[in-house]
Amino acid sequence: MKKNRLFYIIFLSVLLVMQSTLCWAKNRPESFDGRGYVGTLPDLTRDYEPAEPAQSAPEVNKAKDFNSENEIKPVPRDNPAFVNIILKQDKTSQYVNDLNEFIPILEKIYDLIEDESNVQIFNAKVYYFNKTADYFRDKYKNKPESQFVSYKRLMELSMHARSIALLRNEAARYNPYLAYGSSGYIYNPNSITEQLGYLKTEIEQTILLLKESN
């Protein structure tokens, strides 16, 4: 009796397994090719938090060296505006600069006359003034500046100072041999002092004119 019951249980178990197998075979898809995993995947985005975007460092360009030769633009000498405005203005300033060079020279001669300095020191300073005036004359004699009052005044003063220096030099040479008559009056110390006074006044007026030309 027990054997019949055991046989019956085994038979039912085999029958259930076969039935399950037939049902799965009936409902399974014909092919899994190309489908990959066909089960249910977990929701991976549920607890996902996007990472903050990385902050890129600002781009820093190396500063150019201002004093670099390659960074200095060349002077636009081919530009008519530059030539006509900038260089023309510089030309005018150059004349004024040349005038200013005479001021300390004339002030020194003025002081020498006031201090009654000896002939050698006076003549040396006048010689330097004359040489500077000669260069100035040659530089501007064929230019519009030669018509300026300052130019003409310097030329006249140079000639006057040269004549006084020559007179003082001759007086120092011939005085021991001269009797101050009519022919030797120009070498008389009083006459020379008078001439130096005229020259001093002329120098003072010229210095004022040159300073006003700035």
Side-chain angles (χ1 to χ4, degrees), residues 99-158:
L99 289 180
N100 287 336
E101 291 183 4
F102 285 98
I103 295 176
I105 299 173
L106 296 178
E107 288 176 339
K108 183 61 178 178
I109 297 175
Y110 182 93
D111 292 339
L112 291 175
I113 296 174
E114 273 206 332
D115 297 340
E116 299 180 358
S117 297
N118 64 53
V119 176
Q120 288 79 11
I121 297 176
F122 174 83
N123 285 1
K125 186 58 65 175
V126 170
Y127 177 81
Y128 178 69
F129 165 55
N130 289 332
K131 286 298 181 182
T132 307
D134 290 344
Y135 173 79
F136 182 79
R137 178 197 62 215
D138 293 341
K139 183 176 181 178
Y140 293 106
K141 64 181 179 181
N142 295 322
K143 297 180 180 179
E145 288 85 351
S146 64
Q147 302 303 314
F148 293 172
V149 175
S150 54
Y151 176 90
K152 295 179 179 179
R153 176 63 66 85
L154 279 172
M155 297 302 101
E156 293 172 358
L157 180 60
S158 175

Side-chain angles (χ1 to χ4, degrees), residues 29-39:
E30 294 180 359
S31 174
F32 291 101
D33 294 342
R35 296 191 182 187
Y37 178 74
V38 296

Side-chain angles (χ1 to χ4, degrees), residues 91-99 136 140 145 148 150-151:
K91 179 181 176 182
T92 303
S93 299
Q94 184 59 51
Y95 177 79
V96 173
N97 290 337
D98 290 342
L99 289 180
F136 182 79
Y140 293 106
E145 288 85 351
F148 293 172
S150 54
Y151 176 90

Side-chain angles (χ1 to χ4, degrees), residues 7 17 24 56 85 95 104 120 129 164 167 183 195 203 211:
F7 176 78
V17 170
W24 178 83
S56 59
I85 298 175
Y95 177 79
Q120 288 79 11
F129 165 55
I164 297 298
L167 178 64
S183 60
Q195 293 299 321
I203 289 174
K211 289 182 177 179

